[in-house]
């Protein structure tokens, strides 16, 4: 992992956020041609012996495809494996199992076993309700639809990250015939590398939690 990617992922991790104590259980984003998925979990009392002095940790998966539900499940399996064993080697075993067989076992009681065949990307496209988004946007949804149809750049601001992600990932459904979710950038910081990445893209739907993006 190069230093630029490391800085990006630390910026996205809620445990590294100094200005807020809010724990975001699951989030994801897009940078360049890659997607990243972050699952943050609380270390329970039953796992404290394996992870002494650890209260939370984040599992980060770097992938080439858009499928939040698939990677949330996989991250959950990896998180449960790490919480119950405290072993990074066991995480590697699970990862290699997914690479070679397309599946892995959680080995725990709360997370179902993972199988890549269970996740159709078309279900990921409709996982967030476009009807709810249209109700929130009201008449402005027509402007958003027109912008997407003309392949313009759309910026969405919302102070709550999870609600922001839900809105942004739903918007390409308005131009369903394209089935192109590569235009989605669910959570963008006003950082030079991320803004440069957006500037290199002719069409996008980008989400921000920083209100200064409106100015």
């Amino acid at each position: 992992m190069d230093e630029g990617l490391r800085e990006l992922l630390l910026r996205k991790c809620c445990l590294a956020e100094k200005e807020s104590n809010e724990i975001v259980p699951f989030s994801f984003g897009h940078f360049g041609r890659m997607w990243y998925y972050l699952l943050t979990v609380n270390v329970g009392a039953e796992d404290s012996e394996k992870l002494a002095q650890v209260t939370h940790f984040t599992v980060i998966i770097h992938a080439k495809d858009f499928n939040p539900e698939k990677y949330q499940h996989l991250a959950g399996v990896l998180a449960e494996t790490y919480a119950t064993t405290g072993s990074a080697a066991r995480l590697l075993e699970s990862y290699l199992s997914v690479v070679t067989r397309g599946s892995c076992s959680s080995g725990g009681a709360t997370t179902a076993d993972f199988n890549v065949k269970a996740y159709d990307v078309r279900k990921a496209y409709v996982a967030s309700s476009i009807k709810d988004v249209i109700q929130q946007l009201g008449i402005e949804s027509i402007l958003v639809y027109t912008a997407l149809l003309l392949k313009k750049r759309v910026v969405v601001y919302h102070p709550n990250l999870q609600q922001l992600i839900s809105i942004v990932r739903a918007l390409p459904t308005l131009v369903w015939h394209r089935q192109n979710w590569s235009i989605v950038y669910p959570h963008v910081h006003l950082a030079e590398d991320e803004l440069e990445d957006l500037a290199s893209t002719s069409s996008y739907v980008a989400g921000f939690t920083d209100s200064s993006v409106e100015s």
Side-chain angles (χ1 to χ4, degrees):
M1 180 185 297
D2 62 42
E3 187 62 25
L5 178 58
R6 181 177 181 275
E7 290 182 3
L8 172 72
L9 295 177
L10 284 175
R11 189 186 306 143
K12 301 302 177 182
C13 180
C14 63
L15 298 182
E17 180 59 60
K18 297 179 180 179
E19 298 178 0
S20 173
N21 294 321
E22 181 184 3
I23 299 299
V24 180
F26 180 70
S27 65
F28 60 92
H30 184 196
F31 183 81
R33 296 183 178 180
M34 302 296 291
W35 292 87
Y36 51 86
Y37 303 87
L38 301 92
L39 179 74
T40 300
V41 298
N42 174 57
V43 177
E46 65 277 9
D47 302 318
S48 59
E49 293 184 3
K50 298 293 183 180
L51 298 172
Q53 299 182 339
V54 176
T55 60
H56 298 80
F57 65 86
T58 299
V59 174
I60 302 175
I61 299 177
H62 201 214
K64 295 181 179 180
D65 59 319
F66 170 83
N67 202 320
E69 286 66 39
K70 177 175 76 173
Y71 290 109
Q72 183 176 17
H73 184 181
L74 177 56
V77 170
L78 298 177
E80 185 165 2
T81 299
Y82 185 63
T84 55
T85 67
S87 170
R90 289 292 301 275
L91 293 185
L92 180 59
E93 289 177 9
S94 296
Y95 169 75
L96 292 176
S97 177
V98 173
V99 171
T100 57
R101 298 187 301 168
S103 63
C104 67
S105 173
S106 68
T110 60
T111 307
D113 293 346
F114 174 82
N115 191 317
V116 70
K117 293 181 180 180
Y119 292 95
D120 185 335
V121 68
R122 291 170 296 181
K123 292 183 178 180
Y125 292 161
V126 297
S128 187
S129 173
I130 189 60
K131 291 183 179 179
D132 291 344
V133 174
I134 291 174
Q135 288 178 350
Q136 292 182 60
L137 295 177
I139 194 67
E140 291 184 359
S141 60
I142 298 175
L143 299 177
V144 175
Y145 167 71
T146 302
L148 291 172
L149 200 61
L150 297 176
K151 297 185 178 181
K152 300 294 185 179
R153 295 171 170 177
V154 177
V155 170
V156 180
Y157 163 74
H158 198 292
N160 182 279
L161 177 57
Q162 290 182 296
Q163 292 186 45
L164 173 69
I165 289 175
S166 180
I167 293 170
V168 172
R169 71 176 292 186
L171 289 179
T173 312
L174 292 171
V175 283
W176 175 256
H177 60 285
R178 292 181 186 149
Q179 295 196 16
N180 179 16
W181 263 252
S182 67
I183 65 172
V184 171
Y185 291 79
H187 183 209
V188 181
H189 281 85
L190 296 177
E192 183 177 354
D193 55 343
E194 296 184 55
L195 295 179
E196 287 180 354
D197 187 44
L198 277 184
S200 67
T201 306
S202 59
S203 175
Y204 58 70
V205 181
F208 294 81
T209 56
D210 189 336
S211 60
S212 62
V213 73
E214 296 182 299
S215 59

